[in-house]
Amino acid sequence: MVQGITGRDGGFHASKMRDYGTRIVGGTSPGKGGTTHDGFNVYNTVVETVKETGADTTIIFVPAPFVKDAIMEAADGGIKLIIVITEGVPTLDFIAARHYATALGARIIGPNCPGLISPGKSLVGIMPGNIFTPGRTGVISRSGTLTYEVVYNLTLAGIGQSTAVGIGGDPVSGLYFIDLLQMFQGDPETDSIVMIGEIGGDAEERAAAYIKEHVTKPVFSFIAGQSAPADKRMGHAGAIISSGTGTAKEKIAALEAAGVTVLNEPADIPAKIKAVV
Amino acid sequence: MVQGITGRDGGFHASKMRDYGTRIVGGTSPGKGGTTHDGFNVYNTVVETVKETGADTTIIFVPAPFVKDAIMEAADGGIKLIIVITEGVPTLDFIAARHYATALGARIIGPNCPGLISPGKSLVGIMPGNIFTPGRTGVISRSGTLTYEVVYNLTLAGIGQSTAVGIGGDPVSGLYFIDLLQMFQGDPETDSIVMIGEIGGDAEERAAAYIKEHVTKPVFSFIAGQSAPADKRMGHAGAIISSGTGTAKEKIAALEAAGVTVLNEPADIPAKIKAVV
Amino acid sequence: MKIHEYQGKELFDRMGVPTAKGKVCRSVEEVLSAYEELGLKKAVVKAQVLTGGRGKAGGIKIGENREEVAAAAKAILGMEIKGLLVDRVMVAEAVEIASEYYFSFAVDRNSKSVVMILSREGGVEIEEVAAKTPEKIEKIPIFPFVGIPDFLAKKAAAILFDDWKLVMQGKVMIQNLYKLMVETDASLVEVNPLVVTKDGRLIALDAKLNFDDNALFRQPEIESLFEPDEEEKREQEAKANGFSFVHLGGEIGCMVNGAGLAMATMDLIKLYGGKPANFLDIGGSSNPRKVIEAMKLLLSDKDVKVVLINIFGGITRCDDVARGLITAFNEIKTDIPIVIRLTGTNEKEGRKLLEGTPFHSAETMGDAIKKAVALV
Amino acid sequence: MKIHEYQGKELFDRMGVPTAKGKVCRSVEEVLSAYEELGLKKAVVKAQVLTGGRGKAGGIKIGENREEVAAAAKAILGMEIKGLLVDRVMVAEAVEIASEYYFSFAVDRNSKSVVMILSREGGVEIEEVAAKTPEKIEKIPIFPFVGIPDFLAKKAAAILFDDWKLVMQGKVMIQNLYKLMVETDASLVEVNPLVVTKDGRLIALDAKLNFDDNALFRQPEIESLFEPDEEEKREQEAKANGFSFVHLGGEIGCMVNGAGLAMATMDLIKLYGGKPANFLDIGGSSNPRKVIEAMKLLLSDKDVKVVLINIFGGITRCDDVARGLITAFNEIKTDIPIVIRLTGTNEKEGRKLLEGTPFHSAETMGDAIKKAVALV
């Protein structure tokens, strides 16, 4: 289901996802329940949508000030996977909503993310489906268009993707590198993993430690922001080098020490994957 | 450990419990950390007590306005079983504290309860240890002295007790009839169960439904308040017949329908147990 | 602790919960001047008593004009409802009702939380609805630290209303009522009926609030709303002495330590054909001072013909209790026969001390009660 | 968003967090009248600049009397710290410090919560403590709906202090600072050093606050505290157009859709020996209006010698993007060479449309960057 289905972005991407083959059972728009929008059934509340359609996954497009309530509503309604596309969500809002959703057994991807896609199967996000192709490489990324760039290069080189997940560019997010590395490691349809990181935080360093211990599939990486200055937010709220930590250099060193192949150019990734897998 | 160990009740019963053989490792009294009280080590906080002593059970004697914080502190400190003796705890305080403690994996008995005792082994409560005797009958009760009355009769009749638990007289409490029936049913040291209920709420009716489904050991019961008027609180905050529900008559009928032997006089219980077990 | 509807309405007003305009009055004259002052036409006059079923008892009447309202007030003021004298009424706008609903927040023993209870069957007793058509009642438990986020208030309101404008009005009302519940330590906040008027307004037509006695220590303003009747005053005085007391109207005065044992004592008196005069739990200890105060309380009831003292000596041993009782009764001289039953630790020593005193001593509860019943 | 220490101190004062008495001043004269007004003796003069390491840079000086304070103010006002001009100082009571501590609330990415960070090693940079003696730092995650109950505030304060009186002072301070954090949507509330004075008072000697940019829409008062420097003003203007912009000082102006791709573009320019002039993410779509505004922004930087446009056409196809670019550049006339790289959906069609235009078109990112570097 889609929360905010009558909004500009929600409506547009609902159609795109349907075109890609995703089963979109409807969406919410408070006060517009009972109507239809572009062929989708519109409901007032999540609980009503779930009751009528049995939805178990939601994608949220509502404006940033309402995302906290939307996430909590989804979790309360019994939704188990919540994908938050909206950008600009206040951090304390997300922290609270995530805490609530986690207590109710729901998982979150995002906010400020492009969603996820299993090429040829389903798209729950805003990614351009046509640049993806089915295959056996898993992709995890903090970024949007940079992911597309990488995936496009993979697709052109004949390397398909099992699943690609944009985990979002905010400092605090739902599922993150380690969660998804674990899933890809356990996924029989994935042979290799591409991990696209960027400056800010130490999630890549933590991922490196996790890879060293638990991941046997080959991992390839690109870290954006090698030339970024300190203390400046590079677009993403999470992409900031603060107090000298969160630099690309540290991340690359950690990943390489964990046996990850870190590339200088996104375009070099396909050849390296071909050489190994 | 004992929260409120330097208080009048806390200090008195800490000694009593120690005399009974319970391993009391110390207690808290904010601001008095580092001192000793009647031979017990006193700490400022629960977390400090747990760190120094490895305590996993606490008994709370702090005044009612501070019980909410004390329960939360215990759960945060890693305590797994919290027994609240204090009477007069505001209901919304207890609801919040219980929610917090449950989320952290702690269980609560009480508030407004006499605690629990495994005769001959340990006493975590304010019960007079000398009236109990080891044996194979489990006792669950919403009341204090009425429990003693029943237990005293059992002891005099030569029927020992495996464990006796006072679950408290407040409308909202921690572990309740069903939780303890389940434990006694699974306890190899218990052959029969005495359940002492009273007016107010429908916990006895729910217990009856549970007994019918899950309890194979013989259960004996006494329900206090058969002659109580409606809408009057009979001492215990939870002992009130409101809107015509919570009467002793309903409870007795439900229990009898579930195969429980309900007695008119506490003194009749021992003979009935002897007849069956 | 319960308060009157008009007091609840004042709390609602302060919290921004919409109510019908109205005023509490103690005489027909006051009713008429309130009627003018509020600019009412069709008005309702409601008895203010702390019990349910006012409507059935004739305590709620509608007047189309000044004369009818005066007549209604005259009829209701001074009447008795379930034994309670009506000494004041509320006169209020009689709104044009389009539909009625039930709404409340209550403390739920089973889910161990506050629950929101909603039904499209309003204006009737919720217990009736629960008994006959339980599927028409929805219960939503509230997470204590989370409270009622917007989505939850909307989800709840959407259970009652189909019209989204009403859902949004309901959302605000629900959040305000919850705030009232938490801020005042209420154990029940009930609106029955909650109505939608013909002009589309949501109005709380009744306001029933109960408060948690255990929390009154931090709710002085709420406590000040309490108007005890004669019996409740006695209960309050008893409470000030550390007792729990309820008058029952019989002839055997009881003094027991512990609420459960006190109830059991009452029950057995009845079982043996007697009539308990009261429930009295004197609490944990039983020092002479307490016994003296308790005896005064019992003896203030002129119907009491026998006093039965039933004490379980646990940590306080029976011999100490017996000494305390003897000390106490040396101070209080009374001709009323007193039956004492001491049981528990050192009970034999205790009984021995009572030998030779004017008290009737008994070994078992049954024995003591039989003696007390025989002495009436 | 960051604010000055004195602004943080004002927020602390308002929330009841004890600070040393002091005042912000913009001249030596102001410093001296504040010195009199506050009745100071030994005083500290602190540069108010939005960076750390003021002490090391000579931006904090102590004066024992009026003359020394004046000299300190004169020395500090007008100095530069890490490239930032000091245009104001705070003059404050120099308290007699008995011991120093570190305290903060920060948003923690890993535990996905607000954490309380405490250390008995105060007054030094916490990163240094974390690197050298991590065991001297305690972190306590906060449950968002629960906040900081009394026990948690006491438990935390007891990490810093052995004396229970200080624990109780610390408890109140911790609860007030958390309230400040939540009420202002701060992402960092740091007190370093938190001191205990020789007369046993707890005082926040510094006040560092960062705020969540994403929450400024509901924090107008906090937003009004923001004093952007020249660069930040340009970033703000860019933001008003829906851009994310950071000036970097090189010669190749970049216009990219998406933050990650924009960073990667900068990185590759450097890798290929060029110098990026900026980071510029023009966001999801790339309509002509946006391109025009972005070009104006790039061209306002006189160092820019080449412009590199790197657009990934996903849902918006490359041919549409190319048409938009042509429309935009028909309006903006510029002599600066422009390299355009379009990739993604319909990229061939897009490139075809750019044939015969004055733009330098490139197929791959590497190719585009090589061309741009060569054109400088």
Side-chain angles (χ1 to χ4, degrees), chain B residues 196-221:
Chain B
I196 302 163
E198 63 189 33
I199 53 164
D202 64 351
E204 288 82 359
E205 287 88 332
R206 290 178 178 257
Y210 183 84
I211 289 167
K212 207 169 185 174
E213 288 292 313
H214 304 286
V215 180
T216 56
K217 298 179 180 177
V219 181
F220 305 86
S221 183

Side-chain angles (χ1 to χ4, degrees), chain C residues 117-134:
Chain C
I117 305 173
L118 310 103
S119 176
R120 292 198 180 206
E121 301 286 309
V124 291
E125 277 191 39
I126 195 68
E127 289 82 8
E128 256 176 54
V129 183
K132 284 182 202 157
T133 49

Side-chain angles (χ1 to χ4, degrees), chain D residues 226-240:
Chain D
F226 185 43
E227 298 179 1
D229 58 26
E230 287 310 309
E231 263 185 37
E232 285 166 333
K233 271 183 197 153
R234 248 205 290 179
E235 290 168 16
Q236 275 196 311
E237 277 166 35
K239 205 179 159 193

Side-chain angles (χ1 to χ4, degrees), chain B residues 91 145 149 152 225 227 238 265, chain C residues 109 212 257 267 272 341 347:
Chain B
T91 308
T145 46
E149 172 84 31
Y152 191 59
S227 56
E265 283 193 54
Chain C
R109 294 173 184 231
D212 178 6
N257 67 336
D267 294 350
Y272 283 94
R341 184 252 181 169
E347 64 174 52

Side-chain angles (χ1 to χ4, degrees), chain D residues 251-298:
Chain D
E251 297 150 335
I252 302 175
C254 310
M255 184 194 307
V256 189
N257 67 335
L261 192 58
M263 273 190 273
T265 305
M266 283 160 36
D267 292 350
L268 290 199
I269 290 173
K270 224 162 184 177
L271 189 69
Y272 282 94
K275 283 182 196 146
N278 63 281
F279 164 94
L280 173 59
D281 167 14
I282 60 168
S285 83
S286 49
N287 69 54
R289 248 330 353 112
K290 258 191 158 174
V291 174
I292 292 167
E293 290 302 326
M295 272 310 287
K296 281 187 191 161
L297 183 63
L298 291 185

Side-chain angles (χ1 to χ4, degrees), chain B residues 46-129:
Chain B
V46 170
V47 73
E48 195 189 339
T49 317
V50 170
K51 200 176 149 201
E52 297 294 325
T53 68
D56 59 1
T57 300
T58 187
I59 178 163
I60 293 178
F61 287 96
V62 306
F66 308 107
V67 166
K68 177 183 175 182
D69 203 57
I71 294 174
M72 291 172 72
E73 180 179 10
D76 169 82
I79 296 288
K80 291 301 166 209
L81 181 59
I82 300 167
I83 289 138
V84 186
I85 304 300
T86 312
E87 191 183 336
V89 178
T91 308
L92 296 184
D93 279 9
F94 181 72
I95 287 175
R98 183 189 163 273
H99 192 90
Y100 180 90
T102 305
L104 292 177
R107 293 184 298 178
I108 304 176
I109 294 177
N112 188 17
C113 84
L116 72 148
I117 184 169
S118 290
K121 293 181 191 160
S122 87
L123 162 65
V124 191
I126 57 170
M127 292 145 159

